Amino acid sequence: MARRAQTGSGCFSRGLLLLWGLLGSGLCHTGTEAEGFGQDNRTSPPMATFNWTAQLVEETYTNITQRCWELFVDLMRNVTAAELCEWKVISRPYSLLQACLEGWADHLRYGYPNALAEQYIFQSHHRYFHNCTLEHPLYFDPPEDVLLAMIIAPICLIPFLVTLVIWRSKDGKTQP
């Protein structure tokens, strides 16, 4: 029986499963207080206060990025060696890896790009895409400062050459 390709929200369902696990373990409920609905807070229910330390956020993000990587590796199992350099084939797994790393960093307010996310991106290139080269190299415009120098140098050189020609022609000798 052929393996069915994963469709749709596989990343999201794993993320929800992870969130459910965090909520179920009580990890997300640190620092909450049980309050009743008094006269002054009748319109809104009490909000849970999260006491996320930097170490806890980093540990959580480390665990989540490992799951992102495992999802990426799982999706890349369906890609043959001949298809590894075809963007149409690898764009979905690669984009999901990037979206997972970036989305969870944003959700946890961890900052993106970060060293851990870059490590996974570099690891993906080293493991899967290290033999990919462009058949036709792409040519880009030079940086603006180089381009400006290439434009200004001849413009400044022209008056100097005109002055040199005029000065050399004024020595009084007529040329045949």
Side-chain angles (χ1 to χ4, degrees), residues 124-160:
S124 71
H125 283 258
H126 180 71
R127 184 171 175 179
Y128 294 103
F129 314 123
H130 65 280
N131 286 330
C132 296
T133 57
L134 294 174
E135 293 176 10
H136 304 288
L138 298 175
Y139 297 106
F140 297 103
D141 289 337
E144 286 186 26
D145 54 343
V146 174
L147 188 61
L148 189 63
M150 291 173 66
I151 292 171
I152 291 179
I155 293 172
C156 292
L157 191 60
I158 290 171
F160 172 74

Side-chain angles (χ1 to χ4, degrees), residues 17-127:
L17 183 63
L18 179 64
L19 185 61
W20 177 77
L22 291 173
L23 290 172
S25 68
L27 184 63
C28 289
H29 294 288
T30 59
T32 60
E33 297 178 17
E35 296 179 10
F37 291 100
Q39 182 75 7
D40 52 347
N41 59 0
R42 192 179 313 164
T43 57
S44 62
M47 299 297 290
T49 55
F50 299 104
N51 187 13
W52 288 84
T53 62
Q55 182 180 4
L56 181 61
V57 169
E58 187 170 350
E59 184 178 325
T60 303
Y61 186 68
T62 302
N63 292 335
I64 290 172
T65 55
Q66 181 63 36
R67 301 295 180 252
C68 295
W69 175 253
E70 290 170 0
L71 173 67
F72 175 74
V73 170
D74 188 46
L75 291 173
M76 290 302 289
R77 282 192 186 110
N78 297 330
V79 179
T80 65
E83 297 174 325
L84 278 178
C85 296
E86 292 183 32
W87 180 246
K88 287 186 244 177
V89 176
I90 63 161
S91 66
R92 182 173 178 262
Y94 190 81
S95 297
L96 284 175
L97 173 65
Q98 181 185 4
C100 185
L101 296 171
E102 186 174 356
W104 279 105
D106 186 44
H107 180 73
L108 295 172
R109 291 183 171 89
Y110 188 66
Y112 187 87
N114 56 58
L116 191 56
E118 286 180 4
Q119 179 183 351
Y120 281 112
I121 296 295
F122 286 139
Q123 185 175 349
S124 71
H125 283 258
H126 180 71
R127 184 171 175 179

